[in-house]
Coordinates of all heavy atoms in Angstrom, one line a residue:
M544 N -1.9 -31.6 7.0 CA -1.3 -31.7 5.7 C -2.3 -32.4 4.7 O -2.2 -32.1 3.5 CB -0.1 -32.6 5.8 CG 1.1 -31.8 6.0 SD 2.6 -32.7 5.7 CE 3.4 -31.6 4.6
N545 N -3.2 -33.2 5.1 CA -4.1 -33.8 4.2 C -5.4 -33.1 4.1 O -6.5 -33.6 3.9 CB -4.4 -35.3 4.6 CG -3.1 -36.1 4.4 OD1 -2.3 -35.8 3.5 ND2 -3.0 -37.2 5.1
D546 N -5.4 -31.8 4.5 CA -6.6 -30.9 4.4 C -6.9 -30.7 3.0 O -6.3 -29.9 2.3 CB -6.3 -29.7 5.2 CG -7.5 -28.8 5.3 OD1 -8.6 -29.3 5.2 OD2 -7.4 -27.5 5.4
I547 N -7.9 -31.4 2.5 CA -8.4 -31.2 1.1 C -9.7 -30.4 1.1 O -10.7 -30.8 1.6 CB -8.7 -32.6 0.5 CG1 -7.4 -33.4 0.5 CG2 -9.2 -32.4 -0.9 CD1 -7.6 -34.8 0.0
T548 N -9.5 -29.2 0.6 CA -10.7 -28.3 0.6 C -11.2 -28.3 -0.8 O -10.5 -28.3 -1.8 CB -10.3 -26.8 0.9 OG1 -9.3 -26.4 0.1 CG2 -9.8 -26.8 2.3
A549 N -12.5 -28.3 -1.0 CA -13.2 -28.4 -2.3 C -13.0 -27.0 -2.9 O -13.4 -26.0 -2.3 CB -14.6 -28.7 -2.2
K550 N -12.5 -27.0 -4.1 CA -12.4 -25.7 -4.8 C -13.7 -25.4 -5.6 O -14.2 -26.4 -6.2 CB -11.2 -25.8 -5.8 CG -9.9 -26.0 -5.2 CD -8.8 -26.1 -6.2 CE -7.4 -26.3 -5.4 NZ -6.3 -26.5 -6.4
P551 N -14.1 -24.2 -5.6 CA -15.3 -23.9 -6.3 C -15.1 -24.0 -7.8 O -14.0 -23.8 -8.3 CB -15.6 -22.4 -5.9 CG -14.3 -21.9 -5.5 CD -13.5 -23.0 -4.9
A552 N -16.2 -24.3 -8.5 CA -16.1 -24.4 -10.0 C -15.7 -23.1 -10.6 O -16.2 -22.1 -10.1 CB -17.4 -24.9 -10.5
L553 N -14.8 -23.1 -11.6 CA -14.5 -21.8 -12.2 C -15.7 -21.3 -13.1 O -16.2 -22.1 -13.9 CB -13.3 -22.0 -13.1 CG -12.0 -22.2 -12.4 CD1 -10.9 -22.6 -13.3 CD2 -11.6 -20.9 -11.7
P554 N -16.1 -20.1 -12.9 CA -17.2 -19.6 -13.7 C -16.8 -19.4 -15.1 O -15.7 -19.3 -15.5 CB -17.5 -18.3 -13.0 CG -16.2 -17.9 -12.3 CD -15.5 -19.1 -12.0
D555 N -17.9 -19.2 -16.0 CA -17.7 -19.0 -17.4 C -17.0 -17.6 -17.6 O -16.2 -17.4 -18.5 CB -19.0 -19.1 -18.1 CG -18.9 -18.7 -19.6 OD1 -18.1 -19.4 -20.3 OD2 -19.5 -17.8 -20.1
R556 N -17.4 -16.6 -16.8 CA -16.8 -15.3 -16.9 C -16.4 -14.9 -15.5 O -17.1 -15.0 -14.5 CB -17.9 -14.3 -17.4 CG -17.4 -12.9 -17.7 CD -18.4 -12.1 -18.4 NE -17.9 -10.8 -18.6 CZ -18.6 -9.8 -19.2 NH1 -19.8 -10.1 -19.7 NH2 -18.0 -8.6 -19.4
L557 N -15.1 -14.3 -15.5 CA -14.5 -13.9 -14.2 C -13.7 -12.7 -14.4 O -13.0 -12.5 -15.4 CB -13.6 -15.1 -13.7 CG -13.0 -15.0 -12.3 CD1 -14.1 -15.0 -11.2 CD2 -12.0 -16.1 -12.0
S558 N -13.8 -11.8 -13.4 CA -13.0 -10.6 -13.4 C -12.2 -10.4 -12.1 O -12.7 -10.9 -11.0 CB -14.0 -9.4 -13.5 OG -13.2 -8.2 -13.4
I559 N -11.0 -9.8 -12.1 CA -10.3 -9.6 -10.9 C -10.7 -8.3 -10.2 O -10.3 -8.1 -9.1 CB -8.7 -9.7 -11.1 CG1 -8.3 -8.5 -12.0 CG2 -8.3 -11.0 -11.7 CD1 -6.8 -8.3 -12.1
N560 N -11.4 -7.5 -10.8 CA -11.9 -6.2 -10.3 C -13.0 -6.4 -9.3 O -14.0 -6.9 -9.7 CB -12.3 -5.3 -11.4 CG -12.6 -3.9 -10.9 OD1 -12.6 -3.6 -9.7 ND2 -12.8 -3.0 -11.9
P561 N -12.8 -6.1 -8.0 CA -13.8 -6.3 -7.0 C -15.1 -5.5 -7.3 O -16.2 -5.9 -6.8 CB -13.2 -5.9 -5.7 CG -11.8 -5.7 -6.0 CD -11.6 -5.5 -7.4
R562 N -15.1 -4.5 -8.1 CA -16.3 -3.7 -8.4 C -17.1 -4.3 -9.5 O -18.3 -3.9 -9.7 CB -15.9 -2.3 -8.8 CG -15.2 -1.5 -7.7 CD -14.9 -0.1 -8.2 NE -13.8 -0.2 -9.1 CZ -13.5 0.8 -9.9 NH1 -14.1 1.9 -10.0 NH2 -12.5 0.6 -10.8
S563 N -16.6 -5.3 -10.2 CA -17.3 -6.0 -11.3 C -18.3 -6.9 -10.8 O -18.1 -7.6 -9.8 CB -16.3 -6.7 -12.2 OG -16.9 -7.5 -13.1
P564 N -19.5 -7.1 -11.5 CA -20.4 -8.1 -11.1 C -20.0 -9.5 -11.3 O -20.6 -10.5 -10.8 CB -21.7 -7.8 -11.9 CG -21.2 -7.0 -13.1 CD -19.9 -6.3 -12.6
H565 N -18.9 -9.7 -12.1 CA -18.4 -11.0 -12.4 C -17.2 -11.4 -11.5 O -16.4 -12.3 -11.8 CB -17.9 -11.0 -13.9 CG -19.0 -10.7 -14.8 ND1 -20.1 -11.5 -15.0 CD2 -19.2 -9.6 -15.5 CE1 -20.9 -10.9 -15.9 NE2 -20.4 -9.7 -16.2
H566 N -17.0 -10.7 -10.4 CA -15.9 -11.0 -9.4 C -16.5 -12.0 -8.4 O -17.5 -11.8 -7.8 CB -15.5 -9.7 -8.7 CG -14.4 -9.9 -7.7 ND1 -13.1 -10.1 -8.1 CD2 -14.4 -10.0 -6.4 CE1 -12.4 -10.2 -7.0 NE2 -13.1 -10.2 -6.0
V567 N -15.8 -13.1 -8.3 CA -16.1 -14.2 -7.3 C -15.0 -14.3 -6.4 O -13.9 -14.9 -6.7 CB -16.5 -15.5 -8.0 CG1 -16.9 -16.6 -7.0 CG2 -17.5 -15.3 -9.1
E568 N -15.1 -13.9 -5.1 CA -14.0 -13.8 -4.1 C -13.5 -15.2 -3.8 O -12.3 -15.4 -3.6 CB -14.5 -13.1 -2.9 CG -13.4 -12.9 -1.9 CD -12.3 -11.9 -2.4 OE1 -12.7 -11.0 -3.1 OE2 -11.1 -12.2 -2.1
E569 N -14.4 -16.2 -3.7 CA -14.0 -17.6 -3.3 C -13.0 -18.2 -4.3 O -12.2 -19.0 -3.9 CB -15.2 -18.5 -3.2 CG -16.2 -18.1 -2.1 CD -17.2 -17.0 -2.6 OE1 -17.5 -16.9 -3.8 OE2 -17.5 -16.2 -1.7
V570 N -13.1 -17.9 -5.6 CA -12.3 -18.4 -6.6 C -10.8 -17.9 -6.4 O -9.9 -18.7 -6.6 CB -12.8 -18.1 -8.0 CG1 -11.8 -18.5 -9.0 CG2 -14.1 -18.7 -8.2
F571 N -10.7 -16.7 -6.0 CA -9.4 -16.1 -5.8 C -8.6 -16.5 -4.6 O -7.5 -16.1 -4.4 CB -9.5 -14.5 -5.9 CG -9.9 -14.1 -7.3 CD1 -11.1 -13.6 -7.5 CD2 -9.0 -14.1 -8.3 CE1 -11.5 -13.1 -8.8 CE2 -9.3 -13.7 -9.6 CZ -10.6 -13.2 -9.8
E572 N -9.2 -17.4 -3.8 CA -8.5 -17.9 -2.7 C -7.5 -19.0 -3.1 O -6.7 -19.5 -2.3 CB -9.5 -18.5 -1.6 CG -10.3 -17.5 -1.0 CD -11.4 -18.1 -0.1 OE1 -11.5 -19.3 0.0 OE2 -12.1 -17.3 0.5
H573 N -7.6 -19.4 -4.4 CA -6.7 -20.4 -5.0 C -6.0 -19.8 -6.2 O -6.4 -18.8 -6.7 CB -7.5 -21.6 -5.4 CG -8.4 -22.2 -4.4 ND1 -8.0 -22.9 -3.3 CD2 -9.8 -22.0 -4.2 CE1 -9.0 -23.2 -2.5 NE2 -10.1 -22.7 -3.0
D574 N -4.9 -20.4 -6.6 CA -4.1 -20.0 -7.7 C -4.9 -20.4 -9.0 O -5.2 -21.6 -9.1 CB -2.7 -20.5 -7.8 CG -1.8 -19.9 -6.7 OD1 -2.1 -18.7 -6.3 OD2 -0.9 -20.6 -6.3
I575 N -5.1 -19.4 -9.9 CA -5.8 -19.7 -11.2 C -4.8 -19.4 -12.3 O -4.0 -18.5 -12.3 CB -7.0 -18.7 -11.3 CG1 -7.9 -18.9 -10.2 CG2 -7.7 -18.9 -12.6 CD1 -9.0 -17.8 -10.1
G576 N -5.0 -20.3 -13.4 CA -4.2 -20.1 -14.6 C -5.1 -19.9 -15.8 O -6.2 -20.5 -15.8
I577 N -4.7 -19.1 -16.7 CA -5.5 -18.8 -17.9 C -4.6 -19.2 -19.1 O -3.5 -18.6 -19.3 CB -5.9 -17.3 -18.0 CG1 -6.7 -16.9 -16.8 CG2 -6.7 -17.1 -19.3 CD1 -8.0 -17.6 -16.6
T578 N -5.1 -20.0 -20.0 CA -4.5 -20.3 -21.2 C -5.2 -19.7 -22.4 O -6.5 -19.9 -22.5 CB -4.4 -21.8 -21.5 OG1 -3.8 -22.4 -20.4 CG2 -3.6 -22.2 -22.7
F579 N -4.6 -18.9 -23.2 CA -5.2 -18.2 -24.3 C -4.5 -18.6 -25.6 O -3.3 -18.4 -25.7 CB -5.1 -16.7 -24.1 CG -5.8 -15.9 -25.2 CD1 -7.1 -15.9 -25.4 CD2 -5.0 -15.2 -26.1 CE1 -7.7 -15.2 -26.4 CE2 -5.6 -14.4 -27.1 CZ -6.9 -14.4 -27.2
N580 N -5.2 -19.3 -26.5 CA -4.7 -19.8 -27.7 C -3.5 -20.7 -27.5 O -2.4 -20.6 -28.2 CB -4.3 -18.6 -28.7 CG -5.6 -17.9 -29.3 OD1 -6.6 -18.5 -29.3 ND2 -5.4 -16.7 -29.7
G581 N -3.5 -21.5 -26.5 CA -2.5 -22.5 -26.2 C -1.3 -22.0 -25.4 O -0.4 -22.7 -25.1
K582 N -1.3 -20.7 -25.0 CA -0.2 -20.2 -24.2 C -0.7 -19.6 -22.9 O -1.8 -18.9 -22.9 CB 0.6 -19.1 -25.0 CG 1.3 -19.5 -26.2 CD 2.0 -18.4 -26.9 CE 2.7 -18.9 -28.2 NZ 3.4 -17.9 -28.9
E583 N 0.0 -19.8 -21.8 CA -0.5 -19.3 -20.6 C -0.2 -17.8 -20.5 O 0.9 -17.3 -20.8 CB 0.3 -20.0 -19.4 CG -0.3 -19.6 -18.1 CD 0.2 -20.5 -16.9 OE1 1.1 -21.4 -17.2 OE2 -0.3 -20.3 -15.8
R584 N -1.2 -17.0 -20.1 CA -1.1 -15.6 -19.9 C -1.2 -15.2 -18.4 O -1.9 -15.9 -17.7 CB -2.3 -14.9 -20.6 CG -2.4 -15.1 -22.1 CD -1.5 -14.2 -22.9 NE -1.6 -12.8 -22.6 CZ -2.1 -11.9 -23.4 NH1 -2.4 -12.2 -24.6 NH2 -2.2 -10.6 -23.1
F585 N -0.4 -14.3 -18.0 CA -0.3 -13.9 -16.6 C -0.8 -12.5 -16.4 O -0.9 -12.0 -15.3 CB 1.2 -13.9 -16.1 CG 1.8 -15.3 -16.3 CD1 2.6 -15.6 -17.3 CD2 1.5 -16.3 -15.3 CE1 3.1 -16.9 -17.5 CE2 2.0 -17.5 -15.5 CZ 2.9 -17.8 -16.5
D586 N -1.3 -11.8 -17.5 CA -1.8 -10.4 -17.4 C -3.3 -10.3 -17.6 O -3.8 -9.2 -17.8 CB -1.0 -9.5 -18.4 CG -1.2 -10.0 -19.8 OD1 -1.7 -11.1 -20.0 OD2 -0.9 -9.2 -20.7
V587 N -4.0 -11.3 -17.5 CA -5.5 -11.3 -17.8 C -6.2 -10.7 -16.6 O -6.1 -11.1 -15.5 CB -6.0 -12.7 -18.0 CG1 -7.5 -12.7 -18.2 CG2 -5.3 -13.4 -19.2
E588 N -7.1 -9.6 -16.9 CA -7.9 -9.0 -15.9 C -9.3 -9.6 -15.9 O -9.9 -9.6 -14.9 CB -8.0 -7.5 -16.3 CG -6.7 -6.7 -16.3 CD -6.4 -6.2 -15.0 OE1 -7.3 -5.9 -14.2 OE2 -5.1 -6.0 -14.8
E589 N -9.8 -10.1 -17.0 CA -11.1 -10.6 -17.2 C -11.1 -11.6 -18.3 O -10.4 -11.4 -19.3 CB -12.2 -9.5 -17.4 CG -13.6 -9.9 -17.3 CD -14.6 -8.8 -17.4 OE1 -14.1 -7.6 -17.3 OE2 -15.8 -9.0 -17.5
Y590 N -12.0 -12.6 -18.2 CA -12.1 -13.6 -19.3 C -13.5 -14.1 -19.4 O -14.3 -14.0 -18.5 CB -11.1 -14.8 -19.1 CG -11.6 -15.7 -18.0 CD1 -12.5 -16.7 -18.3 CD2 -11.0 -15.7 -16.8 CE1 -12.9 -17.6 -17.3 CE2 -11.4 -16.6 -15.8 CZ -12.3 -17.6 -16.0 OH -12.7 -18.4 -15.1
C591 N -13.9 -14.6 -20.6 CA -15.1 -15.3 -20.8 C -14.8 -16.5 -21.7 O -14.4 -16.3 -22.9 CB -16.1 -14.3 -21.5 SG -17.8 -15.1 -21.7
I592 N -15.1 -17.7 -21.2 CA -14.8 -18.9 -21.9 C -15.8 -19.1 -23.1 O -15.4 -19.4 -24.2 CB -14.8 -20.1 -21.0 CG1 -13.7 -19.9 -20.0 CG2 -14.6 -21.4 -21.8 CD1 -13.7 -21.0 -18.9
S593 N -17.1 -18.9 -22.8 CA -18.1 -19.2 -23.9 C -18.0 -18.2 -25.1 O -18.2 -18.7 -26.2 CB -19.5 -19.2 -23.3 OG -19.8 -17.9 -22.8
E594 N -17.7 -17.0 -24.8 CA -17.5 -16.0 -25.9 C -16.1 -16.0 -26.5 O -15.9 -15.4 -27.5 CB -17.9 -14.6 -25.4 CG -19.4 -14.5 -25.0 CD -19.8 -13.2 -24.5 OE1 -19.0 -12.2 -24.5 OE2 -20.9 -13.1 -23.9
G595 N -15.1 -16.5 -25.8 CA -13.8 -16.6 -26.3 C -13.0 -15.3 -26.3 O -12.4 -15.0 -27.3
W596 N -12.9 -14.6 -25.2 CA -12.1 -13.4 -25.2 C -11.5 -13.2 -23.8 O -11.9 -13.8 -22.8 CB -13.0 -12.2 -25.5 CG -14.2 -12.0 -24.7 CD1 -15.5 -12.2 -25.1 CD2 -14.3 -11.4 -23.4 NE1 -16.4 -11.9 -24.1 CE2 -15.7 -11.3 -23.1 CE3 -13.4 -10.9 -22.5 CZ2 -16.2 -10.8 -21.9 CZ3 -13.9 -10.3 -21.3 CH2 -15.3 -10.3 -21.0
I597 N -10.4 -12.4 -23.8 CA -9.8 -12.0 -22.5 C -9.6 -10.5 -22.6 O -9.6 -9.9 -23.7 CB -8.4 -12.7 -22.3 CG1 -7.4 -12.3 -23.5 CG2 -8.5 -14.2 -22.2 CD1 -6.0 -12.7 -23.2
K598 N -9.5 -9.9 -21.4 CA -9.2 -8.5 -21.3 C -7.9 -8.3 -20.5 O -7.8 -9.0 -19.5 CB -10.3 -7.7 -20.7 CG -11.6 -7.6 -21.6 CD -12.6 -6.7 -21.0 CE -13.8 -6.6 -21.9 NZ -14.8 -5.7 -21.5
F599 N -7.1 -7.4 -21.0 CA -5.8 -7.2 -20.2 C -5.5 -5.7 -20.3 O -6.0 -5.0 -21.1 CB -4.6 -8.0 -20.8 CG -4.4 -7.8 -22.2 CD1 -3.5 -6.9 -22.7 CD2 -5.1 -8.5 -23.2 CE1 -3.2 -6.7 -24.0 CE2 -4.9 -8.3 -24.5 CZ -4.0 -7.4 -25.0
A600 N -4.7 -5.2 -19.3 CA -4.5 -3.8 -19.2 C -3.5 -3.3 -20.3 O -2.5 -4.0 -20.6 CB -3.9 -3.5 -17.8
S601 N -3.8 -2.1 -20.8 CA -3.0 -1.5 -21.7 C -1.7 -1.0 -21.0 O -1.8 -0.5 -19.9 CB -3.7 -0.3 -22.4 OG -2.8 0.5 -23.1
P602 N -0.5 -1.1 -21.6 CA 0.7 -0.6 -20.9 C 0.7 0.9 -20.6 O 1.4 1.3 -19.7 CB 1.8 -1.1 -21.8 CG 1.2 -1.4 -23.1 CD -0.2 -1.6 -22.9
K603 N 0.1 1.7 -21.4 CA 0.2 3.1 -21.2 C -1.1 3.8 -21.0 O -1.2 4.9 -20.4 CB 0.9 3.8 -22.4 CG 2.3 3.3 -22.6 CD 3.0 4.0 -23.7 CE 4.4 3.5 -23.9 NZ 5.1 4.1 -25.0
G604 N -2.2 3.3 -21.6 CA -3.5 4.1 -21.7 C -4.2 4.0 -20.3 O -4.2 3.0 -19.6
L605 N -4.9 5.1 -20.0 CA -5.8 5.2 -18.8 C -7.1 5.7 -19.2 O -7.3 6.5 -20.2 CB -5.2 6.2 -17.8 CG -3.8 5.8 -17.2 CD1 -3.3 7.0 -16.3 CD2 -3.8 4.5 -16.5
D606 N -8.2 5.2 -18.5 CA -9.5 5.7 -18.8 C -9.7 7.0 -18.0 O -8.8 7.6 -17.4 CB -10.6 4.6 -18.4 CG -10.7 4.3 -17.0 OD1 -10.0 4.9 -16.2 OD2 -11.4 3.4 -16.6
R607 N -11.0 7.5 -18.0 CA -11.3 8.8 -17.4 C -11.1 8.8 -15.9 O -10.9 9.8 -15.3 CB -12.7 9.2 -17.7 CG -12.9 9.6 -19.2 CD -14.3 10.0 -19.4 NE -15.1 8.8 -19.6 CZ -16.4 8.8 -19.7 NH1 -17.1 9.9 -19.6 NH2 -17.0 7.7 -20.0
C608 N -11.2 7.6 -15.3 CA -11.1 7.5 -13.8 C -9.7 7.2 -13.4 O -9.4 7.0 -12.2 CB -12.0 6.4 -13.3 SG -13.7 6.7 -13.6
G609 N -8.7 7.1 -14.3 CA -7.4 6.8 -14.0 C -7.0 5.4 -13.9 O -5.9 5.0 -13.5
Q610 N -8.0 4.5 -14.2 CA -7.8 3.1 -14.2 C -7.1 2.7 -15.6 O -7.3 3.3 -16.6 CB -9.1 2.3 -14.1 CG -9.8 2.6 -12.8 CD -9.0 2.2 -11.6 OE1 -8.4 1.1 -11.6 NE2 -9.1 3.0 -10.5
P611 N -6.3 1.6 -15.6 CA -5.7 1.2 -16.9 C -6.8 0.8 -17.9 O -7.8 0.2 -17.6 CB -5.0 -0.1 -16.5 CG -4.8 0.0 -15.1 CD -5.9 0.8 -14.5
L612 N -6.6 1.2 -19.1 CA -7.5 0.9 -20.2 C -7.4 -0.6 -20.6 O -6.3 -1.1 -20.7 CB -7.1 1.7 -21.4 CG -8.1 1.8 -22.6 CD1 -9.4 2.4 -22.1 CD2 -7.5 2.6 -23.7
L613 N -8.5 -1.3 -20.7 CA -8.5 -2.7 -21.0 C -8.6 -3.0 -22.4 O -9.5 -2.4 -23.1 CB -9.7 -3.4 -20.2 CG -9.6 -3.4 -18.7 CD1 -10.8 -4.1 -18.1 CD2 -8.3 -4.0 -18.2
L614 N -7.7 -3.8 -22.9 CA -7.8 -4.2 -24.3 C -8.4 -5.7 -24.4 O -8.2 -6.5 -23.5 CB -6.4 -4.3 -24.9 CG -5.6 -2.9 -24.9 CD1 -4.2 -3.2 -25.3 CD2 -6.3 -1.9 -25.7
T615 N -9.1 -6.0 -25.5 CA -9.7 -7.3 -25.7 C -9.1 -8.0 -26.8 O -8.8 -7.5 -27.9 CB -11.2 -7.0 -25.9 OG1 -11.8 -6.3 -24.9 CG2 -12.0 -8.4 -26.0
R616 N -8.9 -9.3 -26.6 CA -8.4 -10.2 -27.6 C -9.3 -11.4 -27.7 O -9.8 -11.9 -26.6 CB -7.0 -10.7 -27.3 CG -5.9 -9.7 -27.4 CD -5.6 -9.3 -28.8 NE -4.4 -8.4 -28.9 CZ -4.6 -7.1 -29.1 NH1 -5.7 -6.6 -29.4 NH2 -3.5 -6.4 -29.2
K617 N -9.6 -11.9 -28.9 CA -10.5 -13.1 -29.1 C -9.7 -14.3 -29.4 O -8.7 -14.2 -30.1 CB -11.5 -12.8 -30.1 CG -12.5 -11.7 -29.7 CD -13.6 -11.6 -30.7 CE -14.6 -10.6 -30.1 NZ -16.0 -11.0 -30.4
G618 N -10.1 -15.4 -28.9 CA -9.5 -16.7 -29.2 C -10.0 -17.8 -28.3 O -11.0 -17.6 -27.7
T619 N -9.2 -18.8 -28.2 CA -9.6 -20.0 -27.3 C -9.1 -19.7 -25.9 O -7.9 -19.5 -25.7 CB -9.0 -21.3 -27.9 OG1 -9.3 -21.4 -29.2 CG2 -9.4 -22.5 -27.1
V620 N -10.0 -19.7 -24.9 CA -9.7 -19.4 -23.6 C -10.0 -20.7 -22.7 O -11.0 -21.3 -22.8 CB -10.6 -18.3 -23.0 CG1 -10.3 -18.0 -21.6 CG2 -10.4 -17.1 -23.9
E621 N -9.0 -21.0 -21.8 CA -9.2 -22.1 -20.9 C -8.7 -21.6 -19.5 O -7.7 -21.0 -19.4 CB -8.3 -23.3 -21.3 CG -8.7 -23.9 -22.6 CD -7.7 -25.1 -23.0 OE1 -7.0 -25.6 -22.2 OE2 -7.7 -25.4 -24.2
A622 N -9.5 -21.9 -18.5 CA -9.2 -21.5 -17.1 C -8.9 -22.8 -16.3 O -9.6 -23.8 -16.5 CB -10.3 -20.7 -16.5
F623 N -8.0 -22.8 -15.4 CA -7.7 -23.9 -14.6 C -7.1 -23.5 -13.3 O -6.6 -22.4 -13.1 CB -6.7 -24.9 -15.3 CG -5.4 -24.2 -15.7 CD1 -4.3 -24.3 -14.8 CD2 -5.3 -23.6 -16.9 CE1 -3.1 -23.7 -15.2 CE2 -4.1 -22.9 -17.2 CZ -3.0 -23.0 -16.4
Y624 N -7.2 -24.4 -12.3 CA -6.5 -24.2 -11.0 C -5.1 -24.8 -11.1 O -4.9 -25.8 -11.7 CB -7.3 -25.0 -9.9 CG -8.5 -24.3 -9.4 CD1 -9.8 -24.9 -9.7 CD2 -8.5 -23.1 -8.8 CE1 -10.9 -24.2 -9.3 CE2 -9.7 -22.4 -8.4 CZ -10.9 -23.0 -8.7 OH -12.0 -22.4 -8.3
K625 N -4.2 -24.0 -10.5 CA -2.8 -24.5 -10.5 C -2.5 -25.4 -9.4 O -3.2 -25.4 -8.4 CB -1.8 -23.3 -10.4 CG -1.8 -22.4 -11.6 CD -0.8 -21.3 -11.5 CE -0.8 -20.4 -12.7 NZ 0.2 -19.4 -12.6

């Protein structure tokens, strides 16, 4: 019960897509939260804290490979462990 495992530091840029070079598998072993402009978002596919943007899937659009089209929004991004 007192098993305290050290959580890896959250990177500046992170993606949930395993094919991305910004995907870090060790981070996804824990629950992550993303706050964008003061509100928690649950649909974030990728983020960058230093550049201040998030990417999330379009509800209807698909790219040429059939993957959801990613939309970008700019603002204040904060990542944290839940």
